[in-house]
Amino acid sequence: ENGRCTTKLESMGFRVGQGLIERFTKDTARFKDELDIMKFICKDFWTTVFKKQIDNLRTNHQGIYVLQDNKFRLLTQMSSGKQYLEHAPKYLAFTCGLIRGGLSNLGIKSIVTAEVSSMPACK
């Protein structure tokens, strides 16, 4: 039951991400590479959706990107202790879908996962 709900949230986020990225990129020039797309996601897309930029973007230059938000809006209302740490990934399923949907519409097939080691930060 829990996994099914998470999957449903992720797929809803995927559809929303596809629509948002279509709207946000209609007046922008083509991106020259994958890194440019990720920079767009971290700056413009994230700012429009969450009212702040991603705090850190890392890559291994082999197709793996790590986006880090040190004060993620959806987790800031929860306890900053370890009390809700195990439940935090459920709140990130929609956001993972949002990113995956946006990347999909920009031509990048991806797997998006979320990791929370201390609240309200997430990777």
Side-chain angles (χ1 to χ4, degrees), residues 11-54:
S11 62
M12 287 170 49
F14 182 84
R15 288 192 304 274
V16 171
Q18 283 181 316
L20 287 176
I21 213 73
E22 224 171 85
R23 183 174 298 154
F24 297 162
T25 59
K26 69 178 181 183
D27 296 326
T28 61
R30 285 190 153 244
F31 299 106
K32 61 181 177 186
D33 60 7
E34 206 172 79
L35 185 59
D36 259 6
I37 291 172
M38 292 309 295
K39 286 178 183 176
F40 176 82
I41 294 290
C42 292
K43 291 178 183 176
D44 302 311
F45 185 76
W46 206 260
T47 300
T48 305
V49 176
F50 296 109
K51 308 291 187 235
K52 70 182 282 287
Q53 289 184 10
I54 282 285

Side-chain angles (χ1 to χ4, degrees), residues 30-119:
R30 285 190 153 244
F31 299 106
K32 61 181 177 186
D33 60 7
E34 206 172 79
L35 185 59
D36 259 6
I37 291 172
M38 292 309 295
K39 286 178 183 176
F40 176 82
I41 294 290
C42 292
K43 291 178 183 176
D44 302 311
F45 185 76
W46 206 260
T47 300
T48 305
V49 176
F50 296 109
K51 308 291 187 235
K52 70 182 282 287
Q53 289 184 10
I54 282 285
D55 295 311
N56 196 356
L57 169 65
R58 293 185 184 177
T59 181
N60 66 353
H61 299 288
Q62 296 174 2
I64 296 179
Y65 296 90
V66 178
L67 287 67
Q68 182 172 345
D69 191 332
N70 295 327
K71 199 169 180 186
F72 187 57
R73 285 178 85 80
L74 298 179
L75 296 178
T76 53
Q77 299 301 317
M78 298 173 75
S79 171
S80 58
K82 296 200 180 288
Q83 182 180 4
Y84 298 110
L85 195 58
E86 67 183 69
H87 299 291
K90 292 183 235 174
Y91 293 92
L92 300 173
F94 183 83
T95 306
C96 287
L98 204 65
I99 295 169
R100 194 172 66 85
L103 291 173
S104 172
N105 244 16
L106 294 172
I108 297 176
K109 189 174 182 176
S110 62
I111 297 170
V112 179
T113 59
E115 177 185 309
V116 180
S117 52
S118 65
M119 302 264 276

